[in-house]
Amino acid sequence: MKIIVITGTPGVGKSTLAKKLVKTFNFKRIDLHQHYKQISTGYNRKKQSYDIDLKKFKQLIKDKAKKNNLIIDSHIAHLLPKEMVDLCLVLTCSDLKKLERRLKKRKYSAGKIRENLDAEIFQVCLSEARERGHELLTVEQSFNLSKLIKKIKLILAQDI
């Protein structure tokens, strides 16, 4: 089974891209927002987020990948081990004002907005994905979908 992960700072467009790719590749989408309680050790009020248990996260994906090719979109998707992932798309947004507006619209606190803008400035998801050795494709938020699909098809075909 093939697994594509889409990672990046919250608000960069991961879910939108995932929905488009699901239609193109006929993969099943795993929206981790629906599974955070299941794969966490609990909610961290100070950080305003769930503390993810990587063992539970890996097991969830192993269970889901038994039957389907998967697209997983989440700012933590790149934390999966390299051997589980065929392609890691890192979505970025160079327009920080646009990103800030999106996070405000989601009613993020000022501190959480700052944290996520800093993560985007310092390209945290990209750095962590590189550290894990993933097959990477970096995608600016204003990407051309047809060109991206062609690149993905080429990369996935190499693995066959």
Side-chain angles (χ1 to χ4, degrees), residues 4-8 14 32 36 57 72-81 85 88-89 125 132 134:
I4 298 172
V5 299
I6 304 172
T7 190
K14 297 178 298 295
L32 285 182
Y36 282 150
F57 180 24
I72 306 162
D73 62 290
S74 170
H75 67 287
I76 64 164
H78 63 277
L79 297 178
L80 286 170
V85 177
C88 179
L89 301 174
C125 292
R132 283 185 160 57
H134 286 297

Side-chain angles (χ1 to χ4, degrees), residues 15 18-19 22 27-31 69-73:
S15 296
K19 290 172 188 173
V22 162
F27 281 28
K28 182 174 176 169
R29 176 177 174 238
I30 303 295
D31 178 2
N69 292 318
L70 301 177
I71 292 178
I72 306 162
D73 62 290

Side-chain angles (χ1 to χ4, degrees), residues 57-70:
F57 180 24
K58 289 190 307 192
Q59 190 59 53
L60 171 73
I61 301 309
K62 283 179 185 177
D63 292 345
K64 299 284 185 181
K66 288 178 183 173
K67 299 178 185 174
N68 300 289
N69 292 318
L70 301 177

